[in-house]
């Protein structure tokens, strides 16, 4: 590229939603994969060799998501967080807090931030008196070429709808849009930057081209509104939705680089120096690039050697046995017809909670269930979130509304066959938001209109009464209303089980050792 003498370039490289993927492997199978920070570290080194003015950023959801991080929290939490250790060695300029940063509790997150050699930006995560709870609102970087860059970070304020209250006690989550608007105004007035980058751990609520809503406008994602309503943002780096996108909205360059460390964002900015020596932005372009077959960085591999060996040893431990078939070959079928693996999770939750109505979901389409010998690798591959359990007291009306919400997962195709509602696939897969219930009997009739699909709803052979009360166990994400289950918000909490579900599954196998695969066919999905 030909650059005029009075122009300069800035390269921004960023990750988002890495979710604990440090090593280039898939832990469920131990297959080599083109992902992870070890490979990304090599890419950053190359980019820095080729460019003088480089900013390297992370946009949140860094420390949770793989067996590596589950094992770290359970067995090695007194040591340095490996994801932070890697980012320290890469030498990133700043990080942003994501919603999943809170999953392991405040202590793990606080320790991660304290051990970071870079600042965490969290303008809208504040104390009761409005001061940043972690890190600081923004960062100013004066680059070697004289360009002054402001980087401001905000996080989706929807976190209290998902997270365990104990993990966010004493923390306020201010509106991300309003907070970003305040700080961008402040930065433009007080700091006089040449370039403003907003890092938002959140995504887009509208189509980037048409502006039409792509989801319920709950406030979880506000990226489109940020571009439209805030003056002074040059680049908006996003995440959270696990989408792969670039574009411009109202002149603001936007990007989102997928998830799990499979891709990264690379933003090229060109600026021209004016007669008064100030820089004017003349070109900006974003590209999402696959990690690909890049060789992993040897320094990172060496750093990870011990914790990785410990993780692999832990994963290979047999913890129990299955008598019968608990493998999943068709995840859609496992949601339409009660599956033995789903029954197993319900049984674990019912025993742990001492209630007889339980709710769970098949968390993603990669879940394979259990073969005859069950290892920790099998457990964490099928149940990858550190959810705890919460027992709520619900009315029959609440239960009916929650079932109707789950029933939205299905639709009929042109041939009249039952299939997955496209909104649960695009723009982000949300298979985990289809719940299956245990302890009640019901039918989902997909041929009926949304909101009136639940039929034959009974408990112990009798119809549920609208004002009757029932104790139901959920994971903490759903119990807080996560997945737009608003009918569950602020309901009376009967009991909280503080062990996470992986621990509960382990304990279940310790008690029974061999589990018989069985199924109670308590629900049907039909199109009649």
């Amino acid at each position: 590229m030909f650059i005029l003498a009075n122009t300069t370039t800035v390269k921004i490289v960023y990750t988002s939603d890495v979710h604990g993927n440090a090593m280039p492997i898939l832990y469920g199978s131990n297959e080599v994969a083109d992902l992870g920070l070890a490979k990304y570290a090599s890419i950053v080194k190359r980019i820095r060799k080729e460019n003088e003015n480089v900013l390297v950023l992370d946009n949140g959801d860094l420390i949770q998501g793989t067996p590596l991080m589950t094992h770290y929290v359970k067995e090695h939490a007194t040591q340095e967080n490996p994801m932070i250790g890697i980012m320290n060695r890469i030498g990133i300029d700043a990080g942003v807090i994501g919603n999943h940063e809170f999953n392991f509790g405040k202590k793990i997150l606080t320790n991660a931030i304290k051990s970071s050699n870079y600042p965490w930006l969290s303008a809208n995560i504040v104390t009761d008196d409005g001061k940043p709870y972690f890190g600081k609102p923004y960062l100013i970087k004066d680059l070697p070429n004289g360009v002054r860059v402001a980087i401001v970070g905000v996080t989706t304020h929807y976190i209290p709808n998902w997270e365990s209250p104990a993990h966010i006690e004493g923390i306020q989550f201010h509106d991300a849009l309003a907070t970003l608007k305040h700080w961008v105004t402040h930065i433009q007035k007080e700091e006089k930057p040449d370039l403003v980058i907003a890092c938002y751990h959140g995504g887009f609520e509208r189509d980037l081209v048409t502006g039409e809503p792509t989801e319920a406008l709950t406030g979880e994602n506000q990226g489109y509104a940020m571009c439209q309503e805030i003056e002074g943002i040059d680049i908006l780096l996003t995440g959270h939705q696990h989408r792969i996108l670039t574009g411009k909205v109202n002149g603001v360059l936007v990007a989102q680089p997928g998830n799990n460390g499979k891709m990264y964002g690379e933003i090229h900015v060109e600026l021209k120096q004016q007669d008064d020596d100030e820089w004017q932005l003349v070109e900006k372009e974003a590209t999402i690039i696959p990690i690909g077959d890049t060789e992993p960085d040897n320094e990172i591999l060496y750093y990870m050697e011990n914790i990785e060996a410990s993780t692999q040893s832990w994963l290979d431990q047999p913890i129990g046995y299955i008598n019968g078939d608990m493998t999943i070959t068709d995840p859609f079928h496992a949601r339409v017809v009660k599956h033995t693996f789903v029954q197993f999770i319900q049984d674990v939750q019912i025993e742990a909670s001492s209630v007889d109505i339980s709710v769970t979901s098949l968390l993603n389409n990669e879940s394979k269930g259990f073969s005859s010998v069950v290892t920790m690798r099998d457990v964490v591959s099928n149940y990858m979130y550190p959810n705890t359990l919460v027992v709520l007291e619900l009315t029959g009306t609440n239960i009916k509304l929650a079932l109707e919400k789950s029933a939205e997962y299905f639709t009929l195709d042109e041939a009249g066959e039952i299939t997955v509602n496209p909104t649960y696939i695009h723009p982000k897969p949300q298979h985990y938001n289809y719940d299956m219930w245990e302890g009640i009997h019901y039918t989902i009739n997909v041929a009926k209109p949304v909101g009136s699909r639940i039929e034959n709803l009974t408990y112990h052979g009798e119809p549920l009464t609208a004002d009757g009360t029932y104790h139901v166990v959920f994971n903490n994400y759903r119990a807080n209303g996560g997945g737009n289950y608003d009918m569950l918000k602020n309901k009376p909490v009967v009991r909280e089980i503080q062990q996470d579900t992986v621990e509960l599954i382990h304990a279940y196998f310790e008690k029974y050792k061999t589990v018989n695969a069985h199924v109670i066919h308590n629900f049907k999905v039909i199109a009649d």
Side-chain angles (χ1 to χ4, degrees):
M1 180 180 295
F2 179 71
I3 305 295
L4 297 175
N6 63 338
T7 64
T8 190
T9 61
V10 175
K11 185 81 72 176
I12 303 148
V13 186
Y14 95 107
T15 47
S16 191
D17 300 87
V18 173
H19 283 293
N21 282 279
M23 304 295 286
I25 59 172
L26 300 173
Y27 282 101
S29 61
N30 252 5
E31 295 175 356
V32 175
D34 290 336
L35 52 77
L37 292 185
K39 283 176 172 280
Y40 178 66
S42 297
I43 292 169
V44 173
K45 281 186 176 179
R46 172 182 57 76
I47 291 172
R48 282 185 169 135
K49 285 181 179 178
E50 297 170 354
N51 302 270
E52 184 180 15
N53 302 288
V54 179
L55 290 170
V56 184
L57 308 171
D58 181 73
N59 201 44
D61 280 4
L62 174 69
I63 66 172
Q64 176 277 334
T66 57
L68 166 73
M69 292 310 300
T70 300
H71 180 58
Y72 162 76
V73 169
K74 291 181 181 301
E75 302 293 340
H76 299 283
T78 58
Q79 300 175 17
E80 181 181 59
N81 188 306
M83 301 305 288
I84 303 304
I86 294 175
M87 287 303 199
N88 285 342
R89 284 158 176 78
I90 291 175
I92 71 172
D93 293 283
V96 174
I97 292 175
N99 55 293
H100 283 286
E101 255 69 74
F102 293 92
N103 286 173
F104 294 127
K106 261 195 301 188
K107 183 177 180 181
I108 293 295
L109 174 54
T110 300
N111 288 344
I113 291 172
K114 285 180 178 178
S115 63
S116 300
N117 295 339
Y118 55 89
W120 289 70
L121 308 179
S122 55
N124 68 317
I125 302 176
V126 299
T127 61
D128 290 336
D129 57 1
K131 296 179 181 179
Y133 197 98
F134 305 100
K136 54 186 180 178
Y138 67 92
L139 172 70
I140 298 295
K141 294 283 290 189
D142 291 305
L143 299 179
N145 58 2
V147 174
R148 187 171 175 81
V149 182
I151 308 159
V152 56
V154 290
T155 302
T156 177
H157 59 259
Y158 216 60
I159 289 172
N161 291 281
W162 308 311
E163 192 53 68
S164 171
H167 291 175
I168 55 175
E169 185 178 1
I171 303 175
Q172 302 293 319
F173 296 87
H174 287 182
D175 184 277
L177 171 63
T179 303
L180 184 60
K181 187 173 185 178
H182 165 79
W183 283 108
V184 169
T185 301
H186 170 86
I187 288 166
Q188 291 286 13
K189 180 181 178 181
E190 301 295 333
E191 303 288 357
K192 302 291 191 290
D194 302 305
L195 183 67
V196 175
I197 303 168
C199 295
Y200 171 45
H201 189 83
F204 294 94
E205 73 282 23
R206 295 179 182 272
D207 183 272
L208 299 190
V209 177
T210 67
E212 291 297 312
T214 53
E215 59 181 51
L217 301 179
T218 61
E220 176 182 349
N221 298 298
Q222 300 173 292
Y224 189 89
M226 288 172 174
C227 294
Q228 294 288 354
E229 299 177 24
I230 302 175
E231 293 292 329
I233 300 174
D234 297 306
I235 299 167
L236 179 67
L237 304 180
T238 68
H240 183 57
Q241 292 172 310
H242 299 183
R243 298 172 67 183
I244 300 168
L245 60 83
T246 61
K248 288 183 180 179
V249 178
N250 193 30
V252 179
L253 181 68
V254 301
Q256 193 171 140
N259 64 304
N260 291 348
K262 296 177 182 177
M263 297 187 172
Y264 66 97
E266 187 171 307
I267 291 84
H268 170 84
V269 179
E270 186 175 332
L271 303 100
K272 182 178 180 181
Q273 197 166 31
Q274 305 299 294
D275 292 338
D276 58 4
D277 288 338
E278 291 190 2
W279 293 99
Q280 178 186 4
L281 198 158
V282 294
E283 181 183 339
K284 52 186 176 181
E285 182 180 4
T287 309
I288 306 302
I289 303 173
I291 292 291
D293 58 1
T294 305
E295 286 296 316
D297 182 80
N298 285 330
E299 180 188 2
I300 303 302
L301 293 181
Y302 178 76
Y303 168 71
M304 290 295 296
E305 203 169 65
N306 290 338
I307 185 71
E308 177 64 15
S310 179
T311 300
Q312 291 292 343
S313 176
W314 174 68
L315 287 172
D316 286 333
Q317 294 174 13
I319 62 169
Y321 305 90
I322 302 297
N323 181 23
D325 185 10
M326 212 178 276
T327 58
I328 299 170
T329 56
D330 184 342
F332 177 74
H333 188 262
R335 295 184 178 99
V336 173
V337 178
K338 184 79 165 290
H339 192 277
T340 52
F341 176 77
V342 173
Q343 183 71 58
F344 170 81
I345 299 296
Q346 302 284 31
D347 292 345
V348 171
Q349 294 190 170
I350 286 170
E351 176 150 320
S353 64
S354 301
V355 300
D356 64 352
I357 304 179
S358 174
V359 180
T360 193
S361 59
L362 190 59
L363 297 177
N364 62 38
N365 282 352
E366 284 69 54
S367 292
K368 302 300 182 185
F370 293 153
S371 58
S372 57
V373 179
V374 182
T375 65
M376 285 303 298
R377 189 183 305 279
D378 299 318
V379 175
V380 296
S381 297
N382 283 279
Y383 210 104
M384 64 292 301
Y385 300 115
N387 292 328
T388 55
L389 300 181
V390 179
V391 177
L392 297 182
E393 182 174 283
L394 302 178
T395 65
T397 296
N398 300 145
I399 291 173
K400 175 71 157 45
L401 289 171
L403 285 165
E404 291 287 2
K405 177 64 181 173
S406 282
E408 294 178 15
Y409 178 78
F410 298 108
T411 191
L412 298 179
D413 63 18
E414 294 179 356
E417 298 295 323
I418 299 170
T419 188
V420 178
N421 184 335
T423 62
Y424 283 77
I425 302 174
H426 305 291
K428 174 185 176 179
Q430 299 179 60
H431 300 292
Y432 51 82
N433 279 331
Y434 167 66
D435 286 339
M436 291 163 280
W437 289 60
E438 184 72 21
I440 59 174
H441 283 71
Y442 61 97
T443 299
I444 297 176
N445 191 342
V446 186
K448 296 293 179 67
V450 168
S452 57
R453 290 178 165 179
I454 302 301
E455 301 174 343
N456 308 318
L457 176 56
T458 63
Y459 174 65
H460 290 180
E462 299 292 331
L464 264 74
T465 57
D467 57 355
T469 57
Y470 307 86
H471 291 178
V472 185
V473 61
F474 298 86
N475 66 50
N476 63 284
Y477 171 81
R478 187 70 80 239
N480 289 326
N484 297 322
Y485 280 77
D486 294 341
M487 74 295 296
L488 303 179
K489 289 182 180 179
N490 302 315
K491 294 301 181 285
V493 174
V494 178
R495 187 180 309 116
E496 294 186 56
I497 295 89
Q498 294 300 334
Q499 288 177 289
D500 69 40
T501 306
V502 168
E503 292 178 289
L504 295 175
I505 293 171
H506 191 184
Y508 194 85
F509 276 115
E510 281 188 329
K511 180 177 181 179
Y512 296 106
K513 205 60 181 177
T514 299
V515 175
N516 292 320
H518 73 111
V519 65
I520 300 170
H521 290 290
N522 64 303
F523 70 85
K524 294 189 293 185
V525 181
I526 64 172
D528 186 8

